Amino acid sequence: QVQVMESGGGLVQAGGSLRLSCAASGSMFSINRMGWYRQAPGKQRELVATITSGGSTNYADSVKGRLTISGDNAKNTVYLQMNSLKPEDTAVYYCNADLNTRGGKYVYWGQGTQVTVSS
């Protein structure tokens, strides 16, 4: 059984900062990649940023220079530092974990954490 759990969402004013955390736990051998996606009301879920176990990162153009993804392999945890937040960053942020388990390679999702940026 694998669990992926996010924390750190909340309400912040435009220009402010938040830090999201996501930890993967349970029966797994290794992590291939973890990342953050977001879904705003009435919109499709979209990629925010991903990081591989080797540290390679990928960002959506809309967040480059403002949001930074990082990981701690020893803790199976990934972070999203969000600076210079804008109202359009308001969304539910979901953590995604691409893991190797006893049963094979699987992708897991967290339950989501709300980020609200007020203007």
Side-chain angles (χ1 to χ4, degrees):
Q1 191 81 3
V2 173
Q3 291 184 330
V4 175
M5 186 167 295
E6 307 100 335
S7 62
L11 173 64
V12 65
Q13 289 187 331
S17 298
L18 280 175
R19 188 188 193 214
L20 306 183
S21 299
C22 172
S25 61
S27 301
M28 59 184 175
F29 293 139
S30 60
I31 296 173
N32 295 315
R33 181 173 58 190
M34 292 183 71
W36 292 94
Y37 291 71
R38 67 187 182 187
Q39 188 167 17
K43 295 187 177 181
Q44 290 188 334
R45 191 173 297 188
E46 63 177 5
L47 168 75
V48 176
T50 62
I51 185 168
T52 68
S53 59
S56 297
T57 58
N58 181 47
Y59 293 93
D61 288 341
S62 60
V63 306
K64 285 180 180 177
R66 300 186 300 115
L67 275 58
T68 302
I69 191 169
S70 61
D72 185 334
N73 289 338
K75 296 181 179 180
N76 295 330
T77 299
V78 63
Y79 307 95
L80 187 68
Q81 178 65 44
M82 303 190 293
N83 299 327
S84 302
L85 283 164
K86 304 175 181 180
E88 50 263 44
D89 293 317
T90 295
V92 178
Y93 283 69
Y94 295 92
C95 181
N96 171 281
D98 182 340
L99 309 175
N100 294 313
T101 70
R102 182 178 301 173
K105 181 176 177 293
Y106 290 96
V107 175
Y108 295 87
W109 291 91
Q111 80 286 353
T113 185
Q114 177 71 46
V115 172
T116 303
V117 184
S118 62
S119 58

